[in-house]
Amino acid sequence: MGFKEKCFKKSLWVFHMSAGSCNNCDIEILDCLTPKFDIERFGMKLVGSIRHADVLLVTGIVTRKLLPRIKEVYDQAPKPIVVIAIGACACTGGMFKDSYTFKGPLDTVIPVDAYVPGCPPKPEAMLAGVVKFLNKK
Amino acid sequence: MGKKTLVPLGPYHPLLEEPEFFKLYCDGEIVKEVIWETGYNHRGIEKLCQSKTFEQVFYVVERICGICSTSHPFAYANAVESIPGVEIPERAKYIRSIVGELERVHSHLLWVGLAGHFLGYNTVFMWAWKYREPVLDMFEIITGNRNSYAMFTIGGVRRDISPEQAAQLLKVLDEVERKTTLLVGAVMDDPVIHARLKGVGILTAEDIHDFGAVGPTARASGVDIDVRRDDPYAAYDMIDWKVITANDGDVFAKAEVRLLEMYESISIIKQCLEALKKTEAGDIKVKVKEIPPGIGIGHAEAPRGEVFHFVKSDGGNSPVRHKIRAPSFTCIPTFRRSCVGGTISDAAIATAAVDPCYCCTERMSHVYDYTTGKHIMSAAELIKLSQEKTKNLKAKLKV
């Protein structure tokens, strides 16, 4: 078990950062909070500031204008922090990989710990991603 | 006038789902000026569309916005099909309308939830999103995905709705209708919501004309426009429904319009499902061999207003020009009327009232001086210019 997994055995606080995304993944992340999926029963909750967060969820492609901002948000995060790339765009660039504002997949900008592919990934897939990461040996 | 204070909102702010930047200039607690900075989410979709074939563009425009992922393909389909003048089968028309109206139901429920959250009514947020789930499940059953439905294609739709699915959908709609009544009661009868929303963020009909705002934003101010009725497409002229309007123009009126529109959408879907029984199953697509040279214009009524697509074809297999205008592009500038003069605490709900969708609207921004027309440069560009001058001097002096 790595250092990060050891740190995050208890309730996780999540900050959600939408890079150049189409809203789909963001809505599905919010869906995780609502009664049907209700991740708050595991002690996870969305926080308003990166300075309170244990987990950084990033959705969407890294656009030219957002590149410095994503780096800044990552620098402001208390370390250690788990970065999870949500959706095909954040993982690889998806269908926007040929766009002129595309500045590389997320892992070329900041270190990424887990990838949840899908367009958009279902809330179940996001929960499964987090569980898999925490059970990593 | 007193000293103005700048309150920045964004690009990453707990209030905003998406990266957006608002500058609120305030005098005390009163907002004096709102400036919106865009471009964070710009993905170059129009250019991207020109590198895809006509069929592939559907899946690109679908991902302009996750919530309007039927409206953009709808408008694009109308635009492309107008070039060769294709008449799609009747069954496909009904299925298109069903998907479009289902999207309106889920989008309006989503808005009601978010508005409740902004006002501090988290129960409304949780309820509205809970009632939205069956609609998304229905989408998954009909189209195969909860969002981004990939339902449309040139000349029709890609999947049929079976009688079993239709029966299931009817059951879900009845449930949603009951819950909508519950939400309407919760909003319309609550004295606190009345006090918070009445008279806040007022947009007059004149403001709507000045900014060219569309959709529920315009209809709440008494401007009776709806593309579905004014320029009917798909099945909207074959069924009976009415356009909902209100006259006050404040946030309460916008909430009212959206809530009542959900009833209309549910009624449209029910009529379409009834009509589906009369058409032949499986007749959902006509084959379109090629798109001849020409221009096509298409629009559709998204949950937020009119989506406009312009497609130019040169007879090849991909568009040579594709222009998109989303409804939020005209609705967002109305913040300059609705927020100004109100307090900062009302700015959140006044901006949320138009249901702004930034990823639809995003575009490159260049700043020009209003009087001289000169391009205003950013700090990085100025530094680059300065460095270039030094380089030129070095070359000149041969250092």
Side-chain angles (χ1 to χ4, degrees):
Chain A
M1 185 185 285
F3 174 64
K4 273 190 180 174
E5 291 88 65
K6 226 175 217 171
C7 291
F8 297 121
K9 275 286 144 194
K10 298 280 163 58
S11 56
L12 296 172
W13 284 14
V14 176
F15 178 74
H16 152 232
M17 182 167 76
S18 155
S21 81
C22 73
N23 247 347
N24 254 342
C25 301
D26 315 282
I27 298 288
E28 294 291 65
I29 289 172
L30 273 185
D31 244 12
C32 292
L33 292 175
T34 51
K36 191 173 177 192
F37 302 100
D38 196 15
I39 53 163
E40 283 185 352
R41 69 203 144 118
F42 304 121
M44 294 180 199
K45 70 171 193 178
L46 274 187
V47 290
S49 167
I50 182 65
R51 295 182 202 272
H52 303 154
D54 302 310
V55 180
L56 173 61
L57 301 182
V58 186
T59 61
I61 61 164
V62 179
T63 61
R64 203 186 289 183
K65 193 163 179 175
L66 276 174
L67 179 68
R69 276 125 185 138
I70 290 170
K71 281 183 181 157
E72 199 174 323
V73 167
Y74 181 77
D75 289 343
Q76 286 175 353
K79 307 292 180 311
I81 188 153
V82 179
V83 180
I84 302 183
I86 301 277
C89 295
C91 293
T92 62
M95 64 165 47
F96 298 110
K97 69 179 186 343
D98 299 323
S99 168
Y100 53 84
T101 58
F102 180 57
K103 280 292 189 185
L106 185 69
D107 50 8
T108 58
V109 182
I110 55 176
V112 177
D113 296 292
Y115 302 85
V116 182
C119 186
K122 292 174 75 171
E124 291 98 324
M126 295 182 194
L127 287 176
V130 175
V131 170
K132 257 188 195 170
F133 174 74
L134 290 178
N135 290 338
K136 201 168 69 175
K137 286 282 179 317
Chain B
M1 206 167 83
K3 210 173 106 185
K4 274 203 247 173
T5 318
L6 172 67
V7 180
L9 277 181
Y12 286 106
H13 192 272
L15 185 69
L16 304 165
E17 267 310 302
E18 300 160 70
E20 273 315 309
F21 193 27
F22 289 102
K23 293 175 186 165
L24 303 180
Y25 288 93
C26 305
D27 181 10
E29 221 198 334
I30 305 296
V31 179
K32 290 286 177 194
E33 177 71 282
V34 183
I35 289 180
W36 169 48
E37 200 179 295
T38 178
Y40 294 100
N41 207 337
H42 179 71
R43 282 159 291 159
I45 286 176
E46 287 178 3
K47 184 76 185 159
L48 213 53
C49 287
Q50 292 164 24
S51 66
K52 309 273 183 204
T53 64
F54 281 108
E55 289 275 332
Q56 289 172 330
V57 171
F58 278 105
Y59 314 115
V60 182
V61 294
E62 198 167 79
R63 281 158 182 82
I64 290 173
C65 169
I67 313 171
C68 318
S69 48
T70 302
S71 319
H72 283 286
F74 220 143
Y76 172 73
N78 289 342
V80 169
E81 283 161 8
S82 77
I83 302 176
V86 182
E87 184 66 24
I88 66 169
E90 205 165 290
R91 193 174 176 86
K93 283 184 181 174
Y94 286 120
I95 294 177
R96 280 185 179 185
S97 293
I98 289 171
V99 179
E101 292 308 310
L102 260 184
E103 182 195 70
R104 195 178 317 277
V105 172
H106 108 74
S107 175
H108 284 348
L109 274 174
L110 184 145
W111 179 83
V112 171
L114 283 182
H117 173 65
F118 288 151
L119 290 175
Y121 278 80
N122 271 323
T123 316
V124 173
F125 171 51
M126 290 294 174
W127 278 5
W129 282 55
K130 184 178 157 194
Y131 306 143
R132 192 177 146 259
E133 280 303 324
V135 182
L136 291 186
D137 288 344
M138 226 35 247
F139 266 129
E140 197 170 356
I141 291 168
I142 292 176
T143 69
N145 203 357
R146 285 161 57 91
N147 309 74
S148 298
Y149 317 112
M151 195 65 168
F152 285 48
T153 187
I154 298 172
V157 289
R158 294 179 61 221
R159 284 162 194 261
D160 202 359
I161 294 180
S162 69
E164 295 81 34
Q165 288 171 343
Q168 222 167 342
L169 180 54
L170 271 179
K171 226 194 286 171
V172 168
L173 286 176
D174 286 338
E175 184 67 21
V176 171
E177 199 166 3
R178 263 203 301 285
K179 301 302 183 197
T180 311
T181 313
L182 193 143
L183 279 173
V184 170
V187 172
M188 300 291 178
D189 299 340
D190 190 327
V192 183
I193 290 189
H194 274 254
R196 252 335 280 283
L197 299 186
K198 283 243 161 122
V200 172
I202 296 181
L203 288 170
T204 61
E206 199 182 319
D207 294 337
I208 298 296
H209 285 301
D210 287 353
F211 287 100
V214 286
T217 314
R219 289 198 285 275
S221 301
V223 181
D224 189 8
I225 48 166
D226 194 315
V227 182
R228 288 175 292 170
R229 182 203 56 202
D230 301 338
D231 182 14
Y233 53 95
Y236 290 112
D237 52 349
M238 297 191 273
I239 41 187
D240 182 35
W241 63 284
K242 61 178 192 291
V243 178
I244 306 284
T245 53
N247 290 318
D248 295 344
D250 52 7
V251 182
F252 191 83
K254 291 184 184 102
E256 199 185 336
V257 166
R258 289 204 172 89
L259 284 168
L260 297 181
E261 257 182 19
M262 274 162 54
Y263 286 117
E264 285 302 313
S265 297
I266 291 170
S267 140
I268 293 175
I269 300 171
K270 282 183 176 169
Q271 292 177 46
C272 287
L273 285 175
E274 198 55 44
L276 271 190
K277 288 179 192 161
K278 289 176 205 138
T279 56
E280 194 192 337
D283 180 25
I284 52 169
K285 201 177 153 186
V286 288
K287 205 168 166 81
V288 180
K289 273 194 177 155
E290 58 172 6
I291 308 291
I295 55 172
I297 286 170
H299 47 186
E301 184 79 11
R304 292 162 181 71
E306 180 195 357
V307 171
F308 174 86
H309 279 238
F310 166 89
V311 178
K312 189 176 178 191
S313 161
D314 62 352
N317 64 353
S318 56
V320 286
R321 178 77 178 101
H322 189 184
K323 171 76 194 146
I324 301 160
R325 202 205 66 177
S328 299
F329 182 64
T330 54
C331 289
I332 288 174
T334 58
F335 295 171
R336 298 192 70 181
R337 296 274 167 86
S338 60
C339 295
V340 171
T343 59
I344 305 177
S345 50
D346 284 339
I349 190 67
T351 51
V354 306
D355 202 357
C357 179
Y358 304 109
C359 48
C360 281
T361 310
E362 284 296 10
R363 46 207 76 220
M364 293 271 291
S365 56
H366 277 276
V367 184
Y368 288 93
D369 188 332
Y370 186 67
T371 44
T372 58
K374 274 187 183 162
H375 179 218
I376 296 177
M377 292 183 182
S378 66
E381 282 171 311
L382 282 177
I383 290 170
K384 202 175 162 198
L385 202 70
S386 165
Q387 286 170 346
E388 256 173 33
K389 188 170 178 182
T390 316
K391 209 170 132 194
N392 289 346
L393 267 179
K394 272 185 183 167
K396 203 171 164 189
L397 298 171
K398 294 190 181 93
V399 188

